[in-house]
Amino acid sequence: MDALEEQQSESTIQESQPDGKENPELATIPEDMYYDYDQLHSRPVTTADSDIPENLLHLSHSFGYDCGRRANLQVLDENTLAFVAGNVLVLLDIRTKEQCYLRSCSGGGIGTIMTHPSKRYLAVAEKGQLPSIIIYEYPSLRPHRILRGGTEQAYSSVDFNQDGTLLASVGNAPDYMLTLWNWRQEQVVLRNKAFSQDVYRVTFSTDNPDQLTTSGSGHIKFWKIANTFTGLKLQGELGRFGRTALTDIEGYVELPDGKVLSGSEWGNMLLWDGGLIKVEICRRGGRTCHAGTIQHFSLDEGELLTIGIDGAVRSWDFESIDQADCTDDSGLIELEPMNEMVVGRNVSLVSMVKSPCLDCPIWFAQDSNGAIWKLDLSFSNITQDPECLFSFHSGVIQGMDVSGNSHLMATTAMDRSVRIFDFLAKQQILCTRYKQGGTTLTWAPRIVHRSSGLLAVGFWDGVVRLLEVYNPQRLFAVSLSSTGSQGAAELRLKQALKPHNAPVTAIAYERNGEIMATGSADCTVFFFAVGEVYAPIGFVNVPGPVHSLEWSPQSHAQSTLLILCDTGHVAEVDAPEQDTENIGSTYLLQGLKVRLFCFSSIKSRIKRDAEIARREEVKQRRLKEREERLKRAQEEGRQPTEEEQRLEEEEEEELPPLYTPSPPSPLLCGFYSQPRHFWLSMGGYDSGYLYHCMFSEDQSAEPESRRDEPFAFIPVHDSDHDPIRTVSFNSSRQLLLCGMHSGRIRAYPLQPNDMQLQSMQAYWSLSVHDNQYGHLQHIHCSYDDQFVLTTGQDANIFSFTLLPQEQLQQALQQRKAKVPSPRIGLEKEKAAQDIDDPTAYSIETAKQKVVLDRLRGEAEQRKAQRLQRLAQLQSSFQNILQQNNSLPPHARLHRAELELDARFREETERVTSQRVREARRELAWEEERHRIALKKLQERFWDSLVSETVTVVAFRSDHRISTYRLLALSDRYTVLKQRARASSLRGPPQERRRSIVDPTKPPVGNDTGTTAPITQVPPSLLNQVPQHQSPRYHTNADDPEERGAVSGGGGGPPSQSARTSVGKLAGRQAEKLLKVAEKAEKARAKILKRKKFYASKPSENCEDAADVLAIRAATENMGDFKLKTAKDFTVPEHLRMNVDRKRAQLVTLEEKIYEQKTEMNSRVIALRDSKGALLASMRSQLQHLREIQERLPPALRCPPPPLPALLPEETPEKKLRYTRATLRRYGALLRARREQQGRSLVAEGEEGEEGQRGESDLLAELEMEGPDEGEEEEGEEREERSEGGREEEGEEREERSEGGRQEEEQEMTPMEEEMERVEEIRNLHLQDTLLQEMEDALWRFDAELCVLRHEKLALDLQMKMADLRHVTLFQELLLLKEFEKRENTLQGRLNARMQEQDELEEKLEECKKQLDAKRRVMVGLQEREKANAATFHASLGDNNKFAEFLTRVFRKKIKRVKKKEKTGKHEEGGASSEDSDEESDWDEDEEDEGSENGGGPDDSVCPPNCDPELFRNTVQLRELRLDVEEQLAEEKKMADGLKKECDALAKKPMCVTLLSQVAVGHCAVVSQVEVGHYAVLCCVVWWSVVEVGQCAVLCSVVEVGHCAVLCSVVEAKIVQSTLQAAEGELELFNREKQQKLNELDVVVPLRLHQIEFLVNGAVPRRLSSALVLNARALVRLQGRIRELQQEKGHQRALYRQARQQHVTLLHEHRDMEAKIQELESRCEVMMLKKFGKLVDLEALQTLSGNRNLEEMRQDSRVREATYTQELKAWEAKVCRARQVLTQATREHTERLQRMNSLLFERKELEDKLNSRQKKMGAQFQGGRRADMQDLARLQELVEAQSREVALMQQEISVLSRKSGHILPPPQTPLPPPAHLQATHSLTHTTRLRRAHHATRQLHTHTQLSSGK
């Protein structure tokens, strides 16, 4: 702040003088300078040249309070409050309740206010175009300073700093400018854009003067005033929410240590530190600090206070909040407030200010629900209760009206209150609240209520309440001795009506006071007959929601109601009759005609006509000026010039198009002008005019399709964007008051009886309400025209006086308005019943319900009668059935004979099935609900269970085995498994490059095969890479040259193209070409194979790649290995652990546990299933045993073993099964239990408890029984019955057999006895075998169970170990999560450095690629140059005498103009210098050539006898040569640059080593230092230290020539140093992480034989120094030692063999070189002998025949044969076509002859017919009279039918009314049918039919017209 004060004056001068020059005339503003308030404040606006006085209206009082405005309450002293009301600043005295007013100076409203810390000044920030901030001195209220230019439209917040020297302001849309002011000098100190959205608040920090804070929509921003070398700057840091949800911030407070505590929308507090959320504060149990947004914070004397929209004030421990920190990832801490005060239920606090008195705990709070509270926040035993100082309306004032005989005003709003004001006494005298918000209000006229004390108020729920206002002190029943003061007025409910189901929007009384009309948003208007009790008349429907209602004035002959709708429709209805009694089922008025008008926009046409008129006026003015010029010239006696005769004409633009807004413009207000004529004010596009409209006579169109246009309009000045929203007249209708959209009042003086508003010209205007959102809602004059009352959407209510001061003082002497007296007997009347339920029926709904109830009662009565009759018939039918059953069988009737008609039964069955379906449909939702509930329970408790605990019990022992209760793996496990699988598919992670910290470690290649960068490889190892592994020798499929070589080479069959080309030939040619092609292909393959073989030849210094990798692996793994617990332990790359890897380990462990448990469960389940199968087998064996024992005597029968059964614990899955039998059993038990409870005499409460216990007991009983127990019992009973039957049969059989034996014993032969003994022995054997098998099966099963039990015990031990391992892994995971953030940061930093290094490598590779491409281009250009030279020599021919001259011309170097592109000044300069150098070189060459030739012939002219064409060709070839040479030179230059760049990138490590010797901070000159093949010449380097990681250097290089590579070298140095620092930090971090992991306790159970750590032959007491190893790992390590010893001896033997082999290969190499030289010399000698010169044998071997020529010849022969065949085919087609043409011509001729004969016959028949008609004409003349009679009869028939149709229509209209009397229709006699005479001819019958058809059409038309 000291720096700010020191540079304050300098900053202000710089702000005022943009060019930086000081203004010597700038002087400080004196302290005692003030402005004149009368000259500053806004005044009324009047039309120029009008007689309207400026003081037409005087502000009398403000009854409202804009409680929704932010921080709209300031305290000036202990008794004065200040707040903004529209365009007025109100100063309110708390004690006297008097008000003082300051008008805004801009006239656009007031944005915000703020008091100075000393309370001596008040800052008022205004709204409007370029608004100002006015500083008023208090209490004098004189303008002290004016701050201009801080924002464009409006200020949203201002604040003084702690000492009051600076003022901060922030603007609203569109600039949101934050400005710091030296307000005493009216100068801007600093400014900056605060944010791009709404900013709610700006404040200075009380403890840090250089800090500010702003907050607003979805943001908070922290500002600092920084002193930089360019001056003071505002630096803002936007708060980052991070994981916290984005929120609007209304309130905050700056803490002394720089932190900021802010609120949130959900009610918690956010502690900000360094632009981040440090912690979020909530209450215990996760409750929010406030229920809703925290609006305000206050830090006063070490006490932190918060207020919220929940109406609570809470104090918090400041120290706990300031030191709050979160220990987990949730970011939340819980804290309870120290003290709390809840102001009230319907209280919403938004701001709070403290009283300026010292040591006073009084605060004043702003309530957004319309109140100002006085709060005592001492939080002690003597703390006073909250006191509501003032109460106001909150929100938009929905309804307002004035009394007809007193200075009383009534208002209502959505805050559910109705208030009455005495605007003469300037006080509120009554406030009554209801359960719903008020929407409209009308004060009944005196003709309705004599004392004018009746209010009609409409509410949101559609209720209309009639309220009587009276003075309670004048009641007769008030006793003289009654204590307590009575209020000035009271409201009494007279009647409550509910005519609508939607908000009531308008209420109006008819001019005679006989009818009240109410309009609503439900598109209806209801009429009531006015009386002591308002009776409903009926309602009409209108096209849209009702906006307002107006009855016609007394001047109109007929009483009509004008209805204005929000949709732009206007309706008019006549006043309904009151004496008609509505006895129908609805109150809808059918006969009341509604006239409609739908506004259609004409504003575009008005603008178009105005433009046409303007153009016509301009045209006439120009014509007039032309005539004047001509006349002036004629008077001067001269000829007019062309300029004077010319008529100036400008190009006319197109006329503005006609436009209709969509959606239509809203209708704002309207009023009657004359009968069926009215004025409308529209908003939106159609604003700016008053439209005169009338109802059309044609009302047949539908309301949606109507489009009516006004017939006249009046433009309203300056209202295109400020339309008229409401209008009102004074009592004489000579003053029109208009409420504008911008909150202004307009007053138009009118002439008497001017209903056409022709005198509506001059006006008086004043800004009253807020200009942005304070749209004026209502404006009225008092009954005596002395006051004007206004209300707006900004919750403000103003009263103005409309009288001169003398009359005003006389009126004010009354002091207060007269309250109406109560009616006589009012105290004896019962209070009317109110309608409190918002869902109560409306009048129309209630009427329809009464009718519906009556009809339902009648239907129920008829139903009861029919049921009674049906019961009687059923009783008589039962008697008949009994009588029938008592008859003898032969006389008894069959049941089918008693059925009268089978259709009755079928109908009954159909109805029954239909009812069943309906019942199912009715219960479908309930069934689906229960099904979904059951499904949810199953998914929650059963589906997640893979295996329930199944216990299998042995037969002969108590051994048992149980499955694991296994839950399904969670979705999280699936996600983690998929993630691990994806990572495994991607392969192992890329290994990190070798650290520069330890340069001795060799580089490790990554998985992609890339080697370490060049900067990390020692120079000695650069040449040790095998050549066959070099990338440049790899075949690149993308290279077209190499791809062609590969496709053409090889010793395989010829290519597809060769086959295709040979396939076109045939015979010997094809065979010959094929052989040649095959030979060439083989030669190419052989050559390519040889080239590949030579390319794979390794270099002399090459080493085997396998050896290099083995050495590298050995170097990595050798050395002194440290334990994980050692401090200097370096974690290897493959052992480094992070969160993802640890999660993968957890997932793997869980999967293995799950798999093993699942496997064991499956084995136990299989054992259980085998037990079930065993029991089934034993059951069958027992059955077989019984059958065998039946054939044995009882003495030999062995007792069968008991058959065991499956226990319930072995089949737990049956516990949740149920069937319909189970449900029926449950229902039966439940009904029995309820009947038993109903018979018991128990109290009601005990009964309910017992019922619940009974139902739970039933469920438990059913669960114990099992779901299928009933069915199982039935099955067992059936089996027992069958077994019992079999036993009985067996016993009978035995008895019979015994009896038979006894009878036959004497008769049996010895053979039969022997056979019987054999059978008995066999049965005994079978019996013993079965018993033994059953016993063995039981013991076998028990043995399997015991074995499986032992295995499960071992698995239990493993599972316990796995659980311990799981716990350890989870602890490690939690620990790794704590390190995850730091690790990600370090790893990201390392990855960034590695990426930079990769980019450098990519640059090098890209440079090499570009260099190779340039070389290929250069080779191509050289080939073009050679081809050009060859072409020139070929053009010369042999023995050309001008060969030498043309050669000189061809080789001559000439000056050429280069085509340069203007790419910049620097490039142009370089190019020009190069051009000049080249030109100088060429000039020297030309001079040399000229000197050598010594004046030969001119080479620019063709010499005589030389071919001109040859000369021109030579010149063209020379130009082509020069182009190629230029391109080649350019490519060489670019290639040199690329080569330099590649060398610079490749030699960076050497440069880094050289430059590291230069001292940092000094200047060094490096010259002539060899770097590779280039030198750095005169490179002057300036070094400055900049902090980048650990250290980095920033250098600036001065280049000389093209040799400067220092910048790239320094860049490499920076990359290397930062990479080294990043790897070092990551290494330290991994070491720290490993140490933390080592601190975790790992449980390892050991047996004594596993402990080999002995001290003196015994196990020590403490094993802390012991090392736990895996036994397998220990054995593996010991085996590895032995393997390494063996491998060492083996490697020595291999080394000796390799040395011997190396010597042998050297000798063989020398011998092979000598042999190769000998063969090459022999080959050259043979080529010279055979060809005479050295030739390319490879090109010679790959030559083949000319396939193209042979193919073309073969194609020609094939095409010729094809064309010959086609020609023959076409000739055959032509022959056939000629034959067809001949046949068609012959048939056509025959048809023409036949047609000729038919035409001749036709002519003869026509002649005969004409002659016959002439003879028969006389016969039909007598039939016309009969036709006339028939026509007359038909007409009579049509008239009779028309009369019948009319009678039917009358009957229909009578039947449509319930009260109409129906008479039988009259019988209209029909005329007798006409008898047709048989003698009538065919023609006469046809005419009658035609006449009858016409009559039917006429009859149909008559019916249609009558129906319409």
Side-chain angles (χ1 to χ4, degrees), residues 240-252:
R240 289 164 287 179
F241 287 88
R243 292 184 298 176
T244 307
L246 197 67
T247 176
D248 297 343
I249 296 181
E250 295 279 355
Y252 60 86

Side-chain angles (χ1 to χ4, degrees), residues 611 613-632 643-653:
E611 179 64 20
R614 186 193 66 79
R615 294 182 183 181
E616 185 65 26
E617 183 181 356
V618 170
K619 183 177 180 181
Q620 295 297 331
R621 186 178 70 251
R622 289 177 179 174
L623 287 173
K624 187 176 181 181
E625 290 176 355
R626 178 173 175 272
E627 292 176 358
E628 290 179 355
R629 290 197 302 267
L630 295 176
K631 185 177 180 181
R632 192 182 305 112
E643 183 178 357
E644 291 176 346
Q645 292 180 357
R646 186 175 67 252
L647 180 63
E648 296 181 2
E649 294 183 0
E650 62 181 9
E651 294 183 1
E652 293 187 357
E653 299 179 355

Side-chain angles (χ1 to χ4, degrees), residues 1720-1861:
E1720 286 180 351
S1721 61
R1722 289 177 59 188
C1723 183
E1724 291 178 356
V1725 171
M1726 292 178 68
M1727 280 194 296
L1728 290 173
K1729 290 180 179 180
K1730 186 172 183 178
F1731 300 106
K1733 62 178 181 178
L1734 298 178
V1735 297
D1736 189 359
L1737 292 178
E1738 294 180 357
L1740 187 63
Q1741 290 176 0
T1742 55
L1743 290 177
S1744 60
N1746 192 351
R1747 292 190 300 270
N1748 294 332
L1749 181 60
E1750 298 297 333
E1751 289 174 3
M1752 293 174 65
R1753 290 175 179 175
Q1754 182 67 21
D1755 290 343
S1756 176
R1757 288 192 292 269
V1758 171
R1759 290 179 181 176
E1760 184 177 359
T1762 303
Y1763 294 157
T1764 303
Q1765 293 178 359
E1766 291 181 357
L1767 184 61
K1768 291 180 180 180
W1770 280 108
E1771 288 177 354
K1773 288 182 181 179
V1774 169
C1775 184
R1776 288 195 298 271
R1778 286 176 179 173
Q1779 295 177 0
V1780 172
L1781 177 62
T1782 304
Q1783 182 66 24
T1785 305
R1786 187 180 297 108
E1787 293 177 356
H1788 183 64
T1789 304
E1790 293 177 356
R1791 289 190 179 94
L1792 286 176
Q1793 293 176 357
R1794 192 181 305 159
M1795 186 179 68
N1796 189 16
S1797 60
L1798 290 174
L1799 288 174
F1800 183 73
E1801 293 177 0
R1802 175 184 174 185
K1803 187 174 182 307
E1804 291 180 353
L1805 292 174
E1806 286 179 353
D1807 294 340
K1808 292 179 181 180
L1809 182 62
N1810 291 334
S1811 60
R1812 186 174 296 177
Q1813 285 179 354
K1814 289 179 182 180
K1815 296 178 181 179
M1816 294 176 64
Q1819 298 178 4
F1820 291 98
Q1821 291 181 359
R1824 296 188 61 186
R1825 182 175 301 172
D1827 294 342
M1828 294 295 293
Q1829 293 177 358
D1830 292 340
L1831 183 60
R1833 184 184 57 77
L1834 291 175
Q1835 289 177 354
E1836 292 177 0
L1837 178 62
V1838 169
E1839 290 176 359
Q1841 290 179 351
S1842 300
R1843 288 193 296 272
E1844 185 178 0
V1845 167
L1847 293 175
M1848 292 294 292
Q1849 288 179 350
Q1850 293 178 3
E1851 184 178 354
I1852 290 171
S1853 61
V1854 171
L1855 289 173
S1856 63
R1857 300 181 181 178
K1858 293 293 184 179
S1859 59
H1861 300 286

